[in-house]
Amino acid sequence: MVDPSESRPLPTDDARELQRLRWQCRRGMLELDHLLARFLDLGYAELSESERQDFLALLGEPDPHLSDWFMERSEPPEPRQRALVARILAVVSESPRAV
């Protein structure tokens, strides 16, 4: 039987949102998994509400599009998408990786 004093509190709405986003960052391509999850850890908190909506929309794009955009083989069609892709690349490339 579980002691009620040992129970953990339920996650806050922000924590739930991050968990949901972390799941959506899991892609069919490992490179995208790492890039998007890394941005979620390093730069997502700095986004405005409208930029967070853009990030959510970006996660709805097919993996081949995202791969082309992040590998700079092509550009997103919308200016806001282009700005967000550039920001993600900048945040991820500026922060040293943990060893």
Side-chain angles (χ1 to χ4, degrees):
M1 190 158 154
V2 176
D3 181 357
S5 66
E6 294 178 18
S7 65
R8 291 182 285 174
L10 292 174
T12 64
D13 288 341
D14 288 343
R16 286 185 190 150
E17 177 69 10
L18 283 175
Q19 288 173 346
R20 188 176 65 77
L21 284 170
R22 190 163 309 282
W23 181 254
Q24 288 183 310
C25 285
R26 295 186 62 179
R27 311 303 290 201
M29 300 174 75
L30 187 59
E31 296 85 357
L32 289 175
D33 283 0
H34 289 289
L35 184 125
L36 293 170
R38 192 162 157 73
F39 177 75
L40 194 60
D41 292 336
L42 300 172
Y44 180 79
E46 303 301 319
L47 295 179
S48 68
E49 186 57 39
S50 66
E51 290 169 324
R52 288 179 180 200
Q53 293 302 314
D54 293 342
F55 183 72
L56 188 59
L58 190 74
L59 294 178
E61 293 289 336
D63 285 358
H65 291 170
L66 293 175
S67 177
D68 285 347
W69 297 343
F70 287 117
M71 300 306 154
E72 300 180 288
R73 292 186 291 255
S74 66
E75 289 187 337
E78 301 295 324
R80 289 171 60 147
Q81 287 176 321
R82 285 193 296 274
L84 183 56
V85 166
R87 184 169 184 173
I88 291 169
L89 288 171
V91 167
V92 170
S93 67
E94 290 173 2
S95 300
R97 291 186 179 204
V99 179

